């Protein structure tokens, strides 16, 4: 049973999930990752096939919107002679829709799509557009994989029948971070926001809550992305309260921040799921997050603190409550169990295809 996993997005959270899958998959000799050339997969036990892709965001979009580029990648898929093709996220690109269509029509093989965001994040026209394309890709796919039970009813509303739907939770290879942990780093009264700075992540709410905790805590905001100019000036004008790391951070830098932090804050306005709770749990850092989407289940499982969205006062109380909270690493987060879930999914899809 040869499985080809196409992984257009290999930076950040999806890369760490992919590493966890590949390192713990029960039959790595049957697994091939088809990834952009930037992917660091030399240490993985499975086969890794890389294709050329520019690092620039605009150049990437040109590629993913080009039928000619998509056809070249499909010829590479065909050459690998897969029994199953699995698109791992990035379902909102036209190339993904073409791969699903060509796999079903020309190869007559099952095509699985992993959907990270069953509903689009607010505040971005690009997200709304890719979600519309993604829904067309789902229709072409034979099966759909989601990461949270929270979105099962929504997928049913979109016309995805239960027999086409698989649920396997998000998984992160935290060793990418924990290997950089240093001894003798003292916990600080520091609340850490880590991740790409996006409109839906509630950073204005975080700033307002932080100003109510002046003198009790400091706040680190770390990750790439663009803040509104007024909000950025507000943060930068208060160096006694905030430290801003507005860039892509190395794993070593992320590890250092989590070792310093006493609380991890996720004041999202809307969420699907996130790899951040995994990293926080690995470093023993309690999480306070809004009760939204699949994120709520993740935080609940690790004994974190849940609050309503868009509520600075609730965030203040949540941060104070989370201080010293004992976190747990749920058994179902075990990478071996998650990777076994993928193997079971592939086995079922393969068996169904063989019986037709």
């Amino acid at each position: 049973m040869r499985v080809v996993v196409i992984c257009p997005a290999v930076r950040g959270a999806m890369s760490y999930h992919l590493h966890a899958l590949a390192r713990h998959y029960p039959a790595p000799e049957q697994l091939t990752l088809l990834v952009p050339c930037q992917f660091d997969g030399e240490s993985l036990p499975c086969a890794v096939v890389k294709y050329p892709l520019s690092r620039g965001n605009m150049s990437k979009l040109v590629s993913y919107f080009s039928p000619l580029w998509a056809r070249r990648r499909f010829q590479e898929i065909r050459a690998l002679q897969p029994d199953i093709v699995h698109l791992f996220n990035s379902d909102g690109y036209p190339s993904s829709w073409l791969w699903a269509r060509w796999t079903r029509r020309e190869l007559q093989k099952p095509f699985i799509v992993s959907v990270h965001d069953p509903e689009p994040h607010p505040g971005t026209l690009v997200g709304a557009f890719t979600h519309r394309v993604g829904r067309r890709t789902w229709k072409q796919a034979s099966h759909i994989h989601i990461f949270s039970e929270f979105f099962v009813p929504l997928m049913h509303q979109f016309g995805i029948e239960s027999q086409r739907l698989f649920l396997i939770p998000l998984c992160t290879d935290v060793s990418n971070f924990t290997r950089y942990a240093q001894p003798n780093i003292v916990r600080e009264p520091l609340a850490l926001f880590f991740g790409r700075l996006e409109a839906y992540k509630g950073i204005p709410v975080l700033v307002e809550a932080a100003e109510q905790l002046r003198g009790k805590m400091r706040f680190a905001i770390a990750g790439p992305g663009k803040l509104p100019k007024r909000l950025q000036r507000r943060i930068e004008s208060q160096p006694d309260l905030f430290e801003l790391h507005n860039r892509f951070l190395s794993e070593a830098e992320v590890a250092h921040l989590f070792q310093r932090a006493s609380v991890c804050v996720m004041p999202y306005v809307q969420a699907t799921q996130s790899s951040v709770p995994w990293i926080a749990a690995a470093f023993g850092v309690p999480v306070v997050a809004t009760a939204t989407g699949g994120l709520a289940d993740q935080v609940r499982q690790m004994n974190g603190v849940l609050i309503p969205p868009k509520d600075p006062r609730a965030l203040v109380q949540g941060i104070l409550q989370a201080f010293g909270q004992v976190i747990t690493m749920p058994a179902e987060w075990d990478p071996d169990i998650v990777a076994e879930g993928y193997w079971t999914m592939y086995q079922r899809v393969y068996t169904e295809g063989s019986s037709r």
Side-chain angles (χ1 to χ4, degrees), residues 187-203:
R187 293 278 183 206
E188 304 172 23
L190 179 73
L192 171 62
F193 173 96
F194 169 65
R196 176 168 287 278
L197 310 186
E198 302 275 9
Y200 69 89
K201 292 190 175 180
I203 298 174

Side-chain angles (χ1 to χ4, degrees), residues 81-157:
Q81 299 182 317
D83 295 305
I84 296 171
V85 179
H86 178 189
L87 176 69
F88 197 75
N89 206 14
S90 303
D91 48 297
Y93 295 130
S95 54
S96 299
W97 176 79
L98 289 170
W99 293 332
R101 185 179 179 87
W102 292 335
T103 297
R104 300 293 305 284
R105 292 194 173 191
E106 297 183 28
L107 301 185
Q108 297 183 343
K109 299 294 183 181
F111 191 93
I112 305 170
V113 177
S114 286
V115 180
H116 186 274
D117 295 324
E119 59 183 8
H121 295 306
T124 165
L125 292 176
V126 174
F129 172 78
T130 56
H131 186 261
R132 290 178 65 90
V133 176
R135 288 177 61 181
R136 290 173 61 89
T137 305
W138 307 348
K139 291 181 180 180
Q140 291 291 331
S142 61
H143 299 81
I144 301 294
H145 157 231
I146 57 175
F147 298 94
S148 173
E149 188 174 2
F150 179 88
F151 293 107
V152 170
L154 180 63
M155 299 307 286
H156 288 165
Q157 290 179 29

Side-chain angles (χ1 to χ4, degrees), residues 249-296:
L249 281 76
S250 69
E251 285 91 349
E253 291 175 304
V254 174
H256 185 69
L257 282 171
F258 273 98
Q259 283 192 275
R260 290 173 54 205
S262 295
V263 179
C264 176
V265 290
M266 304 181 69
Y268 294 9
V269 174
Q270 180 260 16
T272 47
Q273 56 274 315
S274 171
S275 64
V276 174
W278 279 78
I279 304 169
F283 285 97
V285 180
V287 172
V288 54
T290 47
T292 177
L295 176 63

Side-chain angles (χ1 to χ4, degrees), residues 7-20 36 38-40 55 60 88-89 116 170-174 176-177 194-196 201 223-224 247-251 254 274-276 279:
C7 321
V10 292
R11 194 176 189 187
M14 286 297 99
S15 172
Y16 301 130
H17 186 108
L18 196 58
H19 273 86
Q38 296 87 353
F39 182 70
D40 178 16
R55 290 183 179 272
K60 287 180 184 178
F88 197 75
N89 206 14
H116 186 274
L170 195 67
C171 179
T172 294
D173 189 347
V174 293
N176 286 288
F177 303 98
F194 169 65
R196 176 168 287 278
K201 292 190 175 180
R247 55 185 172 79
F248 186 84
L249 281 76
S250 69
E251 285 91 349
V254 174
S274 171
S275 64
V276 174
I279 304 169

Side-chain angles (χ1 to χ4, degrees), residues 153-172:
L154 180 63
M155 299 307 286
H156 288 165
Q157 290 179 29
F158 287 143
I160 308 299
E161 307 89 348
S162 295
Q163 61 267 28
R164 293 178 58 206
L165 194 61
F166 289 92
L167 172 61
I168 305 170
L170 195 67
C171 179
T172 294

